Amino acid sequence: MNKAISSELVAEVVQAYLGSARVESCKSNQVGHINDTLEICVSPNQTGYQHFIFQRINQEVFTKPLELMENIVGVTRFLRQKIREKGGDPDRESLNVVPTLAGQDYYLDSQGEFWRVYLFIEDSLCLQQAETSEDLYQSGLVFGNFQNLLATYPAESLHETIPHFHDTWKRLNDFKQVLAQDPLGRAKTCQAEIDFVLEHAEIARYMKEILGQQVLPLRVTHNDTKLNNILFDQKTRQAICVIDLDTIMPGLAINDYGDTIRFGASSALEDEQDLSLVQVSLWLFSAYTKGFLEGSAGQLSQAEIDHLPFGAKAMTYECGMRFLTDYLEGDRYFRIARPSHNLDRARTQFKLVADMEAKDAQMREIVGKFADQYA
Ligand code: ADP
Ligand code: GN1
Ligand code: MG
């Protein structure tokens, strides 16, 4: 559970980065489920910048913050160079880690918590849901391109920030363990969801097979590609920057593709309580698939393309299972805003999995069509 952040603590952290600059505004951003994010504006100061994202790293989730920051600094430096070579604007198209006055990439506060600071990307939008299919097409382009830009990044230099992150089989076993203990006696309130997880164990088994037999290449992947981990340009409405780089690790391209489908191609929000509103929009699915394959610019193998619909189903199943596990455990991992929040989230994911099963043939047809065009 995240601890409150006092104004004294904000002052201490701002001092470490910006010396005597005065805090003009400080707003908490509750969009992410993991870290504590503050949008801070300060008075003019010697850095020339006044608007920042200050993030307190969730150390229960990221137990090795120094390794985490090493990944982010390495990847953003690499991305900035690539963006520059292509004539882009690295201040807008990549996250920028701001060092402390002492020259460090993180700050360890007086309470033993780690912070990092990014330049705020101005005139940008963070969407919780696509408003038009163009939004998802844009997000496909930006994630496909991200994959491309990182194609030559030295994967062996990356630390595994959360081991077994998309090991769906392990997630299933973790779920079963928590279920067996049922520490809060909540299992009786979600029997239908528990049954759904167990009846769909084949998805986890097949992911295990794919990982074990190395059917698909390991690439440098983002691993948390939901729509709100991208920023859009407010004026042009183009997707400009991939953010939330905490889980960049070697992984599968189908998972990056699949996680955006899970979140972005749904007709409703991730925590919608009226399940009749929740389904996979084939319109959005199609727009994202087009963007992703176009943005990937022929990098994907035929086996990867063939597994894209499976990636969508697996990421949705896995995420639902993670929400349900957290609900059973007492909401220790994902930030919640109401008592059954994680259960509501799990329910939308399982509704989507069932809908993906019903729409499997159409999803395959759409992938095939764009693969012929762009692969
Ligand atoms: P979490 O890991 O908790 O999801 P994120 O890194 O995704 O944290 O950040 C949470 C939110 O903060 C984002 O969804 C976005 O709204 C905002 N944000 C993060 N970085 C920036 C940035 N550099 N410029 C503008 N907004 C940002
Ligand atoms: C978390 O940090 P955020 O909110 O962008 C989670 C993802 C889940 C997602 C579900 C490090 O993402 O894995 O898919 O919530 N991030 C981590 O919305 O666990
Ligand atoms: Mg995020």
Side-chain angles (χ1 to χ4, degrees), residues 29-39 51-53 55-56 62 94-96 116 118-122 124-128 224 226-231 241 243-246 335:
N29 176 317
Q30 299 281 326
V31 168
H33 294 339
I34 304 295
N35 295 304
D36 291 307
T37 301
L38 301 176
E39 299 179 14
H51 199 179
F52 302 90
I53 287 283
Q55 272 183 335
R56 183 168 68 178
F62 299 107
S94 164
L95 282 177
N96 286 283
R116 48 138 181 261
Y118 297 122
L119 293 184
F120 191 92
I121 299 179
E122 302 291 350
S124 62
L125 278 176
C126 177
L127 301 177
Q128 303 317 310
D224 188 5
K226 57 182 179 177
L227 189 63
N228 64 24
N229 285 330
I230 307 175
L231 297 178
C241 183
I243 60 171
D244 201 344
L245 306 178
D246 291 333
R335 192 195 330 273

Side-chain angles (χ1 to χ4, degrees), residues 262-307:
R262 168 191 86 70
F263 188 94
S266 169
S267 55
L269 289 173
E270 185 179 66
D271 59 358
E272 175 58 58
Q273 288 172 282
D274 179 354
L275 289 183
S276 70
L277 300 176
V278 182
Q279 58 164 307
V280 179
S281 155
L282 288 177
W283 188 240
L284 294 175
F285 179 90
S286 181
Y288 183 72
T289 304
K290 178 177 190 305
F292 189 77
L293 289 172
E294 191 181 333
S296 307
Q299 288 270 342
L300 300 183
S301 69
Q302 190 57 46
E304 288 177 300
I305 291 169
D306 293 343
H307 282 84

